[in-house]
Amino acid sequence: MSPPNPIPFSEPPYLCGLPSPYYTPSHLKWQKACRAFLEEHFLPYAMDWECEGTVPAHVFQTFAKHNMLIPNLPAPLPVQWLKKLGIHDILGAVKVEEWDYLHTGIYIDEMARSGLAGPSGSLTVGMAFGVPPLIKFGNPELQSRFLPDLLTGKKRACIAITEPSAGSDVANISTTATKSSDGQSYILTGTKKWITNGIWSDYACMAVRTGSPDSGPAGLSLLMVPLKNQPGVTMRRLKPSGQITAGTTFINLDDVHVPVSNLIGTEGLGMKYIMMNFNHERLSIAVGATRQARRALSAAFEYCLKREAFGKSLIEQPVVRHRLAKAGAELESMSAWVEQFLYQMVHLPPKEADTRLGGLTALAKAKAGLVLNECAQCAVLLFGGSGYTTTGQGEIAERIYREVMGIRIPGGSEDVMLDLAVRQLARNYQAHTEKIMERPRGGAKL
């Protein structure tokens, strides 16, 4: 395993020998094991895979074999299910019952060290966002049918929420799921777009409208929808600007019959389940984007140390140092917030975390996109022409800058996230105020 990179901004402070209140020996042991695994099986090849457009299928199987898909699940892990399947630890470094959100954060951070979200996303997104609703809200019978193959990587799932006319506006989903005449099936009609990992998935955890067209969020439900070799399902890959290897997919549903028994949780509670699932998704995006920003800025810093212009190195130019300093301040502030956030997730009960951190999760996701934009733009400008070229020494800066909008839009677009954050914070304040007003006034108890 390679030592921490000494180039400024390359690593989070705790890996640079600086003290941290967050990381225990368990976290440090996991970080070393995780990095060693990824440096052997993933990081050296990520750029080549992204250039080729696809991560080879055997890589997913390697991750599954070593239980390296499991870290994508929200903490705490589904220990009972994992042990039932013979999964007791991850890489021999962490027992599944000891896993917490700081372990999760380390995994996401290490996966993003390539600077590219596509190769990691091709392996992780389905497990991270498509499987958790089944774990959290699925009944035992539904879990027993799907979880054994999904948790072991024998089958793949994706999360299918977005539609051509309903992205961040989830309540506007129009894909319909109407009951068959015998009441045994839902019949699905509609389209899903920009579905990450969809093209390789056996199943989709899909948001559908089981209520009337005007039922709004109360008419939404979640279903486990078979995709492969399923009559009425057609899929094709889309090619976005960045994250090409992530398998962005368009799904068409033409009278697709899905057993009623594939309903996740309760009909009509889909919106609630989706919103709770979004918290993990947005926090994961924030952690990964922060590492991408590190990769971009540290690459620019390293370049400025050796590149000469006007008779001296770029790092000797005050204007260059000023640009690096502004981006670096944004990066380290975001990094500190992310670590604090993960620590809070470890120590707050899940229900309280959903309430108190839900709005802040949206804010963190939006801010991470802005920080990535600042750092990636800084990198491209300092690399100059090399940063505007898809090959050569500025290739990484060009690639990361191309992926910025893939952070600022998916998972809830930036403006929607900023508005949502403030609305939820205001709602929490109002609830707190009302609770105080309901308290009995002072005086002797009768």
Side-chain angles (χ1 to χ4, degrees), residues 161-166 169-177 188-192 207-213 220:
I161 308 295
T162 307
E163 299 180 359
S165 60
D169 182 16
V170 176
N172 197 39
I173 282 171
S174 60
T175 294
T176 58
L188 277 56
T189 301
T191 55
K192 295 292 177 180
V208 295
R209 182 163 298 284
T210 50
S212 63
L220 299 183

Side-chain angles (χ1 to χ4, degrees), residues 250-265:
F250 184 93
I251 303 175
N252 189 71
L253 306 156
D254 184 10
D255 289 343
V256 178
H257 287 249
V258 178
V260 169
S261 59
N262 282 22
L263 176 70
I264 297 175

Side-chain angles (χ1 to χ4, degrees), residues 116-135:
L116 306 172
S120 59
S122 74
L123 305 170
T124 64
V125 170
M127 184 70 83
F129 314 137
V131 177
L134 181 60
I135 295 172

Side-chain angles (χ1 to χ4, degrees), residues 385-405:
S386 295
Y388 193 57
T389 308
T390 60
T391 58
Q393 59 186 337
E395 177 182 20
I396 188 61
E398 190 276 337
R399 286 279 180 179
I400 294 175
Y401 192 49
R402 200 191 306 173
E403 293 194 0
V404 169
M405 291 305 164

Side-chain angles (χ1 to χ4, degrees), residues 288-298 331 368 371-372 375-376 400:
T290 302
R291 173 56 88 162
Q292 283 189 278
R294 275 200 184 284
R295 184 70 179 89
L297 192 61
S298 62
L331 168 62
V371 170
L372 176 58
C375 291
I400 294 175

